[in-house]
Amino acid sequence: MSLKRRNFLLFLGATAGTAALGSFPIASASTSTATSGTAGKSTATAGAPFEPLKGPMPYKAVNVVAEQQPTAYATYELQDDIVLPDGFTYDVLAAWGDPVGDSRFGYNNDYLSFISAGPDEGYLTINFEYISSGTWEQTYETVLGQTLPFQPVREALKREDEAVEEEIDAFTLAGSNPLKAQIEQIAKEALTDQGLGVIYVRRDENGAWQRDPQATDRRITGISGLEDGNYLKSTGPATAVFKKETVKGYTDGLGDKIIGTFGNCAGGTTPWGTALSAEENIQSQVPEAVYGDGSSFEPDQKQFNIGFGGQGNPFGLAGNKYGWIVEVDPANANDYGTKHTWMGRYRHEAVGIRAEAGKRLAFYSGCDRRGGHVYKFISTGTVNNPTDKANS
């Protein structure tokens, strides 16, 4: 099935912000695996070679007039599946817990970078932005076949007087305190399920994509470097800050070595064959604010809590080392990422690249905090060859 770009964009445009929301009450949803009801006729958007799916809310492409919407959308039955229009299929390449290198496939992916290595094969770089703490906890044992001390930690963090969940500075707990080891275990597993992953994929003779494990398959997790020595690197002005030995605030003592990446949201793919990942909501795991000299606030400013916030606290992660754009060369098995600090520290959402021969390199990235902006970085030098990895 082919779909022209113009028709596809028209279809997307028809679905954005055009629902008659005021004309129907909020309805409850069913968890049944049955298909949705047939009340209300839908017709394909002009030029689209498929009939749009009826979702839980009306939109223009599904032609249900306002008068029919209270009946047509009174109930909606959910399918525990990816629901696609007729003629479309999907293949599962990897799922949470599947082996990737010496680690596992992570949690909550919302960006993919595909870099071709041939007509029907290439490197797929995947982000794992965060864990959904409730479902992660409930399904951890089923998926990974091991247990974590969730209940003992929860009981230890409850206030006796109010019986509500509390936070704790696990970093300063004595090493002999069993609670410290329990919190570290949970935080370590949570951070393992975040970051980035690289897998090699290939399309078979039937046109289906599947994994083809290679030596380049690897995980760059939220704790890479903590125990395995696979630290991330940095470039730009903040590298000098990381190397300072005397600072106003906190230093992890690692100089320009960086432990892990997390909060990785949408990214971008460069013309020279690398993937860029944007560190976004790092404030959930480490202190976001910094002192005037660029050094980090102390780890106790973002403590661990049983909602699994403050995951960097038990390990004393320096907050100023997060909130950057990370670049990874998926074809280089020894590359665990470089944070480019020239491109600014904020809650990055996605990154776009403009590379033209004879012109300066331009990067665009948005800040995803409320009221955030779009920022542009322009290089000092000019590009000779847009596909040259020296552009990094």
Side-chain angles (χ1 to χ4, degrees), residues 7-16:
N7 290 335
F8 182 62
L9 293 176
L10 285 172
F11 174 71
L12 291 179
T15 68

Side-chain angles (χ1 to χ4, degrees), residues 74-90:
T75 61
Y76 180 76
E77 295 175 310
L78 297 177
Q79 298 182 62
D80 186 15
D81 198 359
I82 299 174
V83 182
L84 301 173
D86 289 342
F88 288 81
T89 62
Y90 70 87

Side-chain angles (χ1 to χ4, degrees), residues 324-386:
W324 308 103
I325 291 291
V326 183
E327 183 178 25
V328 176
D329 182 355
N332 181 355
N334 298 314
D335 182 13
Y336 282 83
T338 299
K339 302 193 180 187
H340 292 301
T341 69
W342 277 118
M343 298 172 66
R345 180 175 181 264
Y346 48 90
R347 299 179 193 177
H348 286 275
E349 174 71 83
V351 57
I353 308 98
R354 187 178 182 88
E356 295 184 62
K359 295 184 179 181
R360 293 188 293 175
L361 192 63
F363 285 80
Y364 303 83
S365 186
C367 177
D368 210 30
R369 72 171 67 242
R370 185 171 297 174
H373 306 290
V374 174
Y375 293 91
K376 181 180 181 180
F377 164 85
I378 306 174
S379 67
T380 301
T382 57
V383 175
N384 292 319
N385 177 4

Side-chain angles (χ1 to χ4, degrees), residues 226-373:
L226 180 67
E227 297 175 333
D228 56 16
N230 293 325
Y231 294 103
L232 282 79
K233 301 176 292 185
S234 67
T235 66
T239 301
V241 176
F242 302 154
K243 290 181 176 180
K244 288 181 180 179
E245 295 182 359
T246 303
V247 296
K248 291 183 178 180
Y250 171 77
T251 176
D252 59 12
L254 294 174
D256 59 354
K257 296 178 180 178
I258 301 175
I259 296 174
T261 180
F262 45 81
N264 307 81
C265 203
T269 302
T270 69
W272 52 90
T274 63
L276 298 174
S277 179
E279 293 182 330
E280 187 189 17
N281 288 308
I282 56 94
Q283 77 284 351
S284 298
Q285 313 305 345
V286 292
E288 183 177 31
V290 297
Y291 286 89
D293 64 348
S295 59
S296 178
F297 272 35
E298 290 72 12
D300 65 1
Q301 295 302 298
K302 185 61 183 180
Q303 300 185 11
F304 179 83
N305 62 68
I306 199 53
F308 308 135
Q311 294 160 17
N313 169 267
F315 312 111
L317 300 188
N320 64 347
K321 292 185 173 180
Y322 308 91
W324 308 103
I325 291 291
V326 183
E327 183 178 25
V328 176
D329 182 355
N332 181 355
N334 298 314
D335 182 13
Y336 282 83
T338 299
K339 302 193 180 187
H340 292 301
T341 69
W342 277 118
M343 298 172 66
R345 180 175 181 264
Y346 48 90
R347 299 179 193 177
H348 286 275
E349 174 71 83
V351 57
I353 308 98
R354 187 178 182 88
E356 295 184 62
K359 295 184 179 181
R360 293 188 293 175
L361 192 63
F363 285 80
Y364 303 83
S365 186
C367 177
D368 210 30
R369 72 171 67 242
R370 185 171 297 174
H373 306 290

Side-chain angles (χ1 to χ4, degrees), residues 61-72:
V62 179
N63 188 21
V64 180
V65 298
E67 292 76 14
Q68 294 177 328
Q69 289 174 12
T71 300

